[in-house]
Amino acid sequence: MKLATLRNGRPDGHLVIVSKDLARFASAGRIASNLQDALDEWERCAPILHAVSDQLNNGEIAGMAFDPREALAPLPRAYQWIDGSGYMVHLDRVRTLKGSHDTELQDERPLMYQGGSDSFVAPMAPIVVPEDGLAVDFEAEAVVVIGHVPMRPSREDASAAIRLIGICNDVSLRKLVLNDLQNGFGFFHAKPATSFAPIFVTPDELGESWKDNRLHLKVRIHVNNSLYGQPNAGRDMRFDFADLIVAAAQTRELGVGTIIGSGTVANAHDEILPLKHDGIGFGCIAEARTAEKSKIGKARTPFLALDDIVRINAVDNENRSVFGSIEQSVKLLESGR
């Protein structure tokens, strides 16, 4: 099934069930008032939500037209947001950036940081920056939402806890990375609010696109209609989502509704921009710039400028959107309110 959250004037929004083709929705208000409530009572709610989903997709209920412009992030706020480093290809590319080099990077364990989760950004809301010149970058990622996970879980327990899957734009302000890292406490100002595609889906909805705790879909990124990347999220993922959950729970339990990010989706290749239609490209601008430095001696791809538009969309083998699109423009604080 596919779940989304629509605006209703309240912080957690109104939970709805969306049809497979993303065209219609049915209210889930009688089952759970919002997605966090549904996750808290998943054993009770999931079978009922699935039944309504089947009725919607079979035409037994008409539903209403789904407008992603009315959607909030599927979980507009969460108890916890943890981003991992599932793709060593990404780390290998960006560790050469000033301020990003870390001799502790290794293949044996994923790096992680704990991001802000009190106010996620809607899929079509702008990326609001307090000033110009902060080197705004997108980071296209896959995410999972989990049930309760005990401390020191097994991989089997971690895998069984995955409730929902989606994609996000984990925005970075690259100019602020160095200062954050030099302070010794990790990312803070360099990582503003994360945005999410409008729909989370259950693993069974994805069929063969979800296996081995990986999302096997292309994540396609455009900036101002130029193709920047379409890496496959299931390829070159050194640490899968079970690995990331186990790593996150080494010293703590993980609460219901915790969101775990994959890190920037990255595939190995030797391309640079501009990208051919069948190219792989990059899940963030920082990778494109380091690839350019390596191949032609200088970075020529700019970071996002004011009014640039970034679109991130995971597509199946028939180029159909699976989670709906993230589509955001970059705005200054005064004009982004």
Side-chain angles (χ1 to χ4, degrees), residues 177-192:
V177 168
L178 178 59
N179 185 63
D180 274 355
L181 296 182
Q182 285 181 335
N183 286 335
F185 269 24
F187 294 125
F188 189 75
H189 293 296
K191 303 300 290 187

Side-chain angles (χ1 to χ4, degrees), residues 1-325:
M1 63 182 167
K2 300 191 172 192
L3 302 175
T5 295
L6 299 182
R7 304 177 193 278
N8 67 350
R10 297 182 179 181
D12 297 306
H14 177 73
L15 180 64
V16 300
I17 302 144
V18 182
S19 60
K20 287 181 181 293
D21 62 4
L22 313 187
R24 296 169 295 124
F25 76 90
S27 172
R30 294 185 178 181
I31 305 166
S33 58
N34 55 64
L35 183 51
Q36 183 63 51
D37 285 350
L39 290 164
D40 285 337
E41 296 189 67
W42 193 248
E43 297 304 318
R44 177 187 70 84
C45 292
I48 307 173
L49 292 168
H50 271 290
V52 176
S53 176
D54 289 342
Q55 291 174 330
L56 181 63
N57 287 310
N58 293 335
E60 297 172 34
I61 53 177
M64 292 170 280
F66 178 69
D67 183 352
R69 293 171 296 184
E70 293 300 314
L72 300 171
L75 266 178
R77 53 184 178 173
Y79 290 117
Q80 186 160 220
W81 156 233
I82 301 171
D83 199 17
S85 55
Y87 301 87
M88 293 303 297
V89 172
H90 170 71
L91 290 180
D92 288 341
R93 285 179 180 146
V94 302
R95 72 171 69 188
T96 59
L97 289 172
K98 186 177 181 182
S100 297
H101 182 71
D102 186 343
T103 56
E104 297 298 319
L105 292 177
Q106 52 188 298
D107 289 343
E108 296 178 4
R109 59 177 177 83
L111 300 177
M112 314 199 91
Y113 85 91
Q114 192 167 33
S117 60
D118 56 327
S119 56
F120 292 132
V121 179
M124 293 190 174
I127 300 168
V128 179
V129 294
E131 60 189 74
D132 198 5
L134 295 179
V136 182
D137 199 354
F138 59 84
E139 293 193 53
E141 303 191 13
V143 300
V144 298
V145 184
I146 61 174
H148 174 261
V149 172
M151 190 187 305
R152 297 290 174 98
S154 66
R155 277 182 49 82
E156 290 73 21
D157 289 339
S159 179
I162 295 171
R163 300 285 182 262
L164 299 167
I165 301 152
I167 59 170
C168 78
N169 179 13
D170 183 41
V171 178
S172 289
L173 306 179
R174 298 292 182 188
K175 187 175 180 181
L176 303 182
V177 168
L178 178 59
N179 185 63
D180 274 355
L181 296 182
Q182 285 181 335
N183 286 335
F185 269 24
F187 294 125
F188 189 75
H189 293 296
K191 303 300 290 187
T194 302
S195 55
F196 290 79
I199 293 164
F200 282 159
V201 311
T202 48
D204 61 287
E205 181 76 19
L206 294 169
E208 287 300 305
S209 295
W210 177 257
K211 58 184 177 182
D212 304 323
N213 297 301
R214 293 172 172 86
L215 177 66
H216 295 267
L217 292 175
K218 284 185 178 180
V219 181
R220 188 167 289 153
I221 307 109
H222 289 82
V223 176
N224 300 330
N225 296 318
S226 294
L227 180 63
Y228 266 52
Q230 46 189 355
N232 191 305
R235 190 178 305 155
D236 297 324
M237 191 178 192
R238 170 66 179 82
F239 300 107
D240 66 26
F241 278 107
D243 294 324
L244 296 175
I245 294 167
V246 168
Q250 283 303 290
T251 60
R252 68 188 75 181
E253 296 181 358
L254 303 179
V256 174
T258 294
I259 305 175
I260 305 286
S262 66
T264 303
V265 177
N267 294 165
H269 61 78
D270 60 358
E271 302 166 356
I272 60 173
L273 298 177
L275 192 65
K276 298 178 180 179
H277 76 280
D278 58 348
I280 298 172
F282 306 95
C284 69
I285 295 172
E287 283 191 30
R289 289 172 62 86
T290 55
E292 289 166 348
K293 287 179 183 179
S294 175
K295 197 160 188 176
I296 61 175
K298 63 178 181 179
R300 65 186 182 190
T301 298
F303 289 107
L304 297 177
L306 295 179
D307 296 323
D308 278 349
I309 298 174
V310 59
R311 291 194 303 277
I312 302 173
N313 194 19
V315 297
D316 63 17
N317 291 334
E318 297 181 20
N319 288 319
R320 296 174 300 193
S321 179
V322 175
F323 308 105
S325 297

